[in-house]
Every structure is written in C-alpha cells, then in structure tokens.
Amino acid sequence: MMKFLPIILALVYGYAMFRFSVWRTARALDDKSTELADPILKVLMDRMATALGIDRIRVHIYEIPQVNGLAAPDGRIFITRGFFNKYRAGEVTSEEMASVIAHELGHVALGHSRRRMIDFSSQNAMRTALAMIFNRFLPGIGPWIAGALISLLAARLSRDDEFEADAYASALLVKAGIGTGPQKSLFAKLETLTGAHGAATPAWMLSHPKTPQRIAAIEAYEAKWQAP
C-alpha cells in the first residue's frame, strides 16, 4: 500500500487543484468582466445565432490588456479588453472579431473548455507522480524530465483542440454568410496583434498550431465543402 501512496497523494492533489482552479477562474471572470455591447458586432452575432438555431449569443469583455479570446468552463465566451481595443482602433475588423467569437463557441460546443480545466489538474497530478518515480532512478533531473513530458503532451492536446475549434468556426461562419475570409485574414495578423513570436519555436512545442497550418486546414475544409 505504501508504495502507491505517492500516486494516491498526487491524484488527491490533482483533484484539489481542479476544484480550486474552477473556483479561481470563475471568480476572476466575474470580477473583471462586463457584457459586450457593440451594435456592429451584435448584427454578426445575431446572424451566427440564427445559424445555430438559438436566440442570442452572449459575449463578455474581460478587463485585461492581453489580446485573446477564451471560453470559460461554464460555457461563457470572453473577449479581452486588449482585443476589443484593437477592434475599436480598426486593426481588427468586425468580421474578424466574429471569427474569434465563432472559434470560442467551438471550444464550448466541443467541450474543450471544461475538459481543459480537468486536463490541467490531471496533468499536475501526473507531473507530481512521474517526478516522484523518475527521481528515484534519476535524482535531480527526474522532475525536470517529468515536467517536459507532460508539457509536450499538453501542447499536443491543445493543438488538436485548436484545429477542431477552427473547423467548427469555419462551418458556422459559412452558414452565417460571413465566410472564412475574415478567419484567415485574422490568423495572418495574429502574431503581430498578440506580440507572439512563435515562428522560431518548433510546432510540436507550441500550444497553438502555427498560422500556415491553421490556414491550410481551413482551405482544405473549403475544398471539401465545394467539391461536387
């Protein structure tokens, strides 16, 4: 029994981290967000809502300066103030912003946002358990190896989720009459908007796919949909 104690403790730790992360995320979003009220974006969101067969799409502004969109585990959609300011400054079009909302709707519809929270806690538990095991055989570097392995696994799962959410967004944008053009044009400028410099980082280490891969995947969907 004692030899399994580290693994049991790691699992308990993972569950505790999951519950704490859910609470902390919900609290932060509640404290720092207001509902989006933009008449131009509302027209586009109403078109997407009609395409989905729902009454309306609610989006909130998360008051942080970073450029990002996110889907909370409870299903709410958020656009950061930094992203909204880029839109207001004309650096992002209303259709491009609609593509961000469609992407985050994809994360919600496909269950990614809730699963990611669970994955985060389980990855912490796995990292702790593996670090304990590896450290017995490789003292000093065992925890580092465990952390690297879990990080690579998490990045792979995240990239898969992004491709799936992109595909959902493409289908929704086409159905709503907006098309995938804004989705692709936003990807082309996204690294500049966010200040990210992922071009020098190997794709297998990134949590998001590289821009050319995302655009190529969308164009492959388009070709499939247009095929006779």
Side-chain angles (χ1 to χ4, degrees):
M1 179 65 181
M2 291 300 295
K3 65 180 180 180
F4 294 112
L5 184 60
I7 297 176
I8 294 172
L9 291 175
L11 293 174
V12 172
Y13 168 77
Y15 179 76
M17 284 298 297
F18 165 67
R19 298 305 308 174
F20 176 72
S21 296
V22 170
W23 174 82
R24 184 177 60 181
T25 299
R27 182 69 179 269
L29 293 174
D30 289 342
D31 290 346
K32 295 183 178 181
S33 65
T34 54
E35 187 167 354
L36 170 65
D38 183 274
I40 298 175
L41 290 179
K42 184 179 184 304
V43 172
L44 296 173
M45 289 192 294
D46 285 348
R47 287 167 61 179
M48 291 193 292
T50 299
L52 290 171
I54 59 178
D55 292 335
R56 61 176 297 205
I57 294 171
R58 295 183 64 181
V59 178
H60 295 79
I61 298 290
Y62 185 29
E63 298 293 343
I64 60 174
Q66 289 81 4
V67 174
N68 205 354
L70 60 130
D74 60 10
R76 288 181 294 171
I77 302 298
F78 294 84
I79 298 295
T80 63
R81 174 61 67 181
F83 215 154
F84 187 71
N85 286 344
K86 297 287 186 183
Y87 158 67
R88 294 294 296 270
E91 296 179 57
V92 177
T93 68
S94 57
E95 290 81 7
E96 288 171 341
M97 189 61 74
S99 77
V100 177
I101 295 169
H103 177 89
E104 299 306 328
L105 286 169
H107 281 312
V108 172
L110 298 170
H112 295 163
S113 49
R114 180 172 291 276
R115 195 190 72 205
R116 280 180 176 181
M117 189 66 75
I118 297 172
D119 285 348
F120 171 75
S121 59
S122 63
Q123 287 159 16
N124 278 337
M126 290 172 61
R127 182 180 287 107
T128 302
L130 287 175
M132 291 177 178
I133 295 170
F134 286 174
N135 200 47
R136 293 183 180 182
F137 304 100
L138 300 167
I141 65 170
W144 181 86
I145 294 174
L149 289 174
I150 296 302
S151 295
L152 290 176
L153 173 62
R156 171 59 186 271
L157 293 174
S158 180
R159 290 196 301 273
D160 290 344
D161 285 354
E162 294 304 317
F163 277 125
E164 290 179 1
D166 285 348
Y168 180 98
S170 295
L172 175 56
L173 292 167
V174 169
K175 189 173 182 180
I178 299 170
T180 61
Q183 189 181 20
K184 292 185 288 186
S185 64
L186 179 64
F187 284 151
K189 65 175 83 168
L190 198 54
E191 286 188 0
T192 300
L193 291 171
T194 61
H197 300 286
T201 305
W204 51 272
M205 293 183 65
L206 296 171
S207 61
H208 282 60
K210 288 195 171 185
T211 295
Q213 294 175 322
R214 300 180 80 169
I215 293 176
I218 293 170
E219 291 176 343
Y221 298 136
E222 291 175 317
K224 185 186 299 183
W225 295 335
Q226 294 170 3

